[in-house]
Amino acid sequence: MKLQLAKYDAALPDDVYLALAITGGVEDDDQRHTGFLVRSFDDENFLFHLGFNNGYRKNRMGSKYDYLLVPALEPETANSIITFLVMLLENTGGNVQYSIAWESEEYFDADGKLMKVAAVDGFTCATFVLETMKRYGLDLVDRQTWPLTEGNKDWQIDMLNNKLQLPVEQYLAQFDVVGKYPRIKPEEALGAAHYYVGDLLPYPKVAPAAVEVVSEMRRLKAE
């Protein structure tokens, strides 16, 4: 099935309450952002996302977002993820750390409470999406196949030095691992979600899917 995004103002199908959202520029080096589009039972749409350090938020969706329906997402799994997203906000008050590192260990306990809270721990917007889906049986990407590039290292340094304004302990812990973890981009998370059929997807399969995502964003922007 061809990867296709829809504009936020296009209504979700009647039986769909969860999708992935993305926004940002459509040039190769532009920054993009992702999170979960959640439709409430009274048909209001909200974005659950990690926007910055200790910035896990529920916001009303806006017109700048496009969304992707996830073919492998069953309704029961979607309901579980929505419950988790709501409870995580209640349990943390939004205090979920941003981090360039993403480990293979579990980040949440059986009750969905955040366990990994050391200074180096946390997520980007994309790895938060991936970790959440992994928790509910949708382990999308084989992170060991992601390249460690100079470009990604430069991005990590720029985030730490210019974008995040981390407390000193977090800054030092994360700066110590710069270049040791790959950057998984928002469009890669969406591309993997579209093509996932049960097996971990390697980078060579996800990279062209990410190009499709950005091409779809470009198409919708031009309409």
Side-chain angles (χ1 to χ4, degrees):
M1 183 169 60
K2 182 180 182 297
L3 190 155
Q4 189 168 9
L5 302 184
K7 286 185 176 180
Y8 160 67
D9 54 7
L12 287 169
D14 288 343
D15 59 345
V16 174
Y17 288 87
L18 183 71
L20 295 182
I22 192 166
T23 190
V26 294
E27 301 305 321
D28 289 345
D29 293 332
D30 285 342
Q31 180 80 26
R32 285 169 278 274
H33 179 64
T34 188
F36 290 96
L37 166 58
V38 175
R39 188 178 85 188
S40 67
F41 290 113
D42 54 0
D43 287 331
E44 289 189 275
N45 292 331
F46 296 96
L47 179 72
F48 286 80
H49 63 125
L50 183 63
F52 48 91
N53 189 50
N54 291 324
Y56 173 54
R57 296 289 184 264
K58 171 189 175 184
N59 299 120
R60 291 189 181 277
M61 283 290 293
S63 59
K64 64 181 181 178
Y65 283 89
D66 305 319
Y67 71 81
L68 173 78
L69 302 180
V70 181
L73 187 61
E74 298 292 339
E76 296 81 4
T77 303
N79 290 338
S80 296
I81 290 175
I82 292 169
T83 299
F84 167 75
L85 294 171
V86 172
M87 293 302 298
L88 181 64
L89 190 59
E90 292 181 2
N91 290 336
T92 65
N95 291 319
V96 177
Q97 294 179 171
Y98 195 104
S99 178
I100 63 172
W102 185 36
E103 300 283 0
S104 58
E105 294 92 345
E106 296 294 332
Y107 279 77
F108 305 100
D109 67 16
D111 296 322
K113 293 183 179 179
L114 190 61
M115 295 186 300
K116 284 176 66 65
V117 292
V120 74
D121 293 329
F123 311 98
T124 65
C125 65
T127 59
F128 174 75
V129 166
L130 293 170
E131 183 67 27
T132 299
M133 297 187 76
K134 173 189 169 188
R135 174 176 166 76
Y136 292 96
L138 300 171
D139 195 1
L140 302 183
V141 300
D142 183 358
R143 70 188 79 188
Q144 302 301 321
T145 64
W146 254 250
L148 298 173
T149 69
E150 284 300 313
N152 289 349
K153 182 178 178 180
D154 291 342
W155 177 84
Q156 292 171 349
I157 292 172
D158 181 57
M159 290 297 291
L160 293 176
N161 284 343
N162 302 315
K163 302 293 198 306
L164 292 176
Q165 298 180 334
L166 296 177
V168 173
E169 183 182 8
Q170 280 180 260
Y171 173 85
L172 293 176
Q174 293 189 37
F175 204 86
D176 191 51
V177 298
V178 162
K180 297 179 182 179
Y181 292 87
R183 176 192 178 194
I184 301 180
K185 300 176 182 179
E187 59 269 27
E188 292 171 353
L190 268 71
H194 177 77
Y195 286 107
Y196 178 78
V197 292
D199 296 322
L200 295 172
L201 291 169
Y203 178 77
K205 287 190 175 181
V206 174
V211 173
E212 290 184 68
V213 171
V214 178
S215 295
E216 276 292 285
M217 294 175 69
R218 191 177 295 117
R219 176 183 67 82
L220 291 174
K221 188 174 182 179
E223 290 183 354

